[in-house]
């Protein structure tokens, strides 16, 4: 099948080949005529008016010849793409493979996120609630009023921390704040709770699709978490904008670097981004800085 397509291309290429040969031949003839005109002008056989007329005609013919060569080259490229490029069935098969791979990646990312949420609930919130129950039990058994009040005050603080942890887990499951606010406003709220100073610049002419906002939200949150926990960063800059038909999120920190793109968190983000035909690039040399760049198509 490949040999037949190549033979068909060579046969179809005879047309642009002949046209190109004709264009080059006319270019050669034009150069010869230009030499004759130049020689006659030097000898004084042509008047200045005739010389200018010949030069004007020669320039016009040269431009037409250059345009003809460009058109022949464009025709040759179109034939090559049409006859040698992947056919519709091959392109469809490639797209099916991409979708199958991205679907598997999304399922793996969702499964990893569920495991992470389960660990957060088990190791964090559940342990805190158990400790809270024991604290309330001590308060019930206490006979001293001052001791009981102190235990109840401590229990109240633990309840507030438990509610905050539960809110954090809920936001990892589904960023409900995006229902009433755009991505820039939601990330501003996240930045206020960050242990590292965060500078956010959001310049989106129109609000992107909800799926795109959600993925970019998770990318930004993961990058901020890594910068605070592992990078020892002192400043994180988040930039969101549109460039050449892509929604771009860039998270840059001045930390120690060394982030592994193949790690569980970043690999899961890469699968999320790929599921929307996007791309994720992580640059994190040892010693820093670290830059996480996510790009998703606008439409």
């Amino acid at each position: 099948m490949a040999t037949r397509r190549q033979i068909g291309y060579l046969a179809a290429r005879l047309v642009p080949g002949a046209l190109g040969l004709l264009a080059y031949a006319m270019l050669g003839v034009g150069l010869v005529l230009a030499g004759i005109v130049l020689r006659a002008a030097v000898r004084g056989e042509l008047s200045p008016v005739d010389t200018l007329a010949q030069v004007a005609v020669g320039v016009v013919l040269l431009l037409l010849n250059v345009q003809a060569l460009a058109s022949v080259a464009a025709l040759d490229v179109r034939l090559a793409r049409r006859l040698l490029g992947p056919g519709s069935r091959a392109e469809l098969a490639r797209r099916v493979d991409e979708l199958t791979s991205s679907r598997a990646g999304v399922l793996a990312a969702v499964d990893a996120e569920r495991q992470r949420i389960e660990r957060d609930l088990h190791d964090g919130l559940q342990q805190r609630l158990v400790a809270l129950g024991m604290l309330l039990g001590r308060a019930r058994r206490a006979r001293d009023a001052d001791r009981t009040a102190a235990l109840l005050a401590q229990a109240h603080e633990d309840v507030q921390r438990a509610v905050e942890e539960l809110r954090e887990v809920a936001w990892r499951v589904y960023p409900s704040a995006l229902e009433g606010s755009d991505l820039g406003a939601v990330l501003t709220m996240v930045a206020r709770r960050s242990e590292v100073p965060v500078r956010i610049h959001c310049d989106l002419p129109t609000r992107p699709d909800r799926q795109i906002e959600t993925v970019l939200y998770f990318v930004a949150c993961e990058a901020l978490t890594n910068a605070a926990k592992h990078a020892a960063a002192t400043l994180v800059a988040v930039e969101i904008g549109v460039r050449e038909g892509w929604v771009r999120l860039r998270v840059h920190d001045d930390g120690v670097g060394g982030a592994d793109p193949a790690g569980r968190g970043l690999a899961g983000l890469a699968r999320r981004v790929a599921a929307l035909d996007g791309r994720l690039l992580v640059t994190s040399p040892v010693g820093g800085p670290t830059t996480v760049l996510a790009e998703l198509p606008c439409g």
Side-chain angles (χ1 to χ4, degrees):
M1 181 63 69
T3 303
R4 185 183 305 171
R5 296 180 64 189
Q6 294 171 2
I7 293 175
Y9 166 69
L10 293 176
R13 198 172 183 272
L14 292 176
V15 176
L19 293 176
L21 181 61
L22 178 61
Y24 279 112
M26 293 188 65
L27 180 61
V29 172
L31 292 176
V32 173
L33 293 177
I36 295 174
V37 172
L38 179 61
R39 181 179 179 182
V42 172
R43 291 182 175 183
E45 298 175 358
L46 293 176
S47 64
V49 176
D50 292 336
T51 301
L52 291 176
Q54 293 293 334
V55 170
V57 172
V59 170
V60 172
L61 293 178
L62 177 61
L63 292 177
L64 292 176
N65 196 269
V66 171
Q67 179 62 42
L69 290 174
S71 300
V72 171
L75 177 61
D76 193 14
V77 171
R78 290 185 63 181
L79 286 175
R81 290 178 177 175
R82 182 69 178 271
L83 299 178
L84 297 181
S88 58
R89 296 186 63 181
E91 184 68 19
L92 180 60
R94 183 189 65 82
R95 184 59 177 163
V96 169
D97 291 340
E98 289 182 354
L99 293 176
T100 302
S101 177
S102 63
R103 177 179 178 272
V106 170
L107 293 177
V110 171
D111 185 61
E113 189 66 21
R114 287 175 176 174
Q115 293 178 2
R116 180 177 178 177
I117 293 171
E118 189 275 334
R119 288 195 303 271
D120 290 342
L121 291 175
H122 182 272
D123 299 337
L125 186 59
Q126 179 177 330
Q127 299 299 327
R128 188 173 297 279
L129 292 177
V130 170
L132 177 61
M134 296 174 62
L135 190 63
L136 291 175
R138 291 171 56 191
R140 290 183 60 187
R141 293 190 298 270
R143 299 182 179 277
D144 185 4
D146 294 336
R147 177 63 174 171
T148 301
L151 292 174
L152 290 177
Q154 184 179 350
H156 182 260
E157 294 177 359
D158 288 349
V159 168
Q160 291 180 327
R161 285 193 291 267
V163 171
E164 185 65 23
E165 290 183 5
L166 183 60
R167 184 181 295 112
E168 292 289 341
V169 173
W171 273 47
R172 292 195 192 103
V173 177
Y174 180 76
S176 58
L178 288 174
E179 294 180 357
S181 304
D182 59 16
L183 182 61
V186 174
L187 290 182
T188 300
M189 290 187 291
V190 174
R192 291 171 183 167
R193 303 195 304 270
S194 175
E195 300 176 0
V196 180
V198 180
R199 184 175 65 244
I200 297 179
H201 177 71
C202 183
D203 183 15
L204 294 175
T206 59
R207 188 170 181 178
D209 293 341
R210 181 61 181 275
Q211 296 88 341
I212 294 177
E213 279 191 325
T214 302
V215 171
L216 294 180
Y217 166 82
F218 282 116
V219 172
C221 289
E222 181 69 21
L224 291 176
T225 300
N226 291 341
K229 290 186 176 180
H230 309 297
T234 60
L235 178 64
V236 182
V238 180
E239 299 175 359
I240 310 169
V242 178
R243 182 178 179 182
E244 298 178 354
W246 294 79
V247 181
R248 302 174 77 249
L249 168 71
R250 181 178 180 269
V251 183
H252 178 84
D253 69 69
D254 59 355
V256 298
D260 183 11
R264 177 177 297 177
L266 291 176
L269 293 179
R271 288 191 290 264
R272 284 179 179 268
V273 172
L276 295 181
D277 293 331
R279 53 202 179 206
L280 181 72
L281 177 63
V282 179
T283 305
S284 183
V286 177
T290 297
T291 300
V292 178
L293 177 63
E295 295 182 322
L296 292 168
C298 291

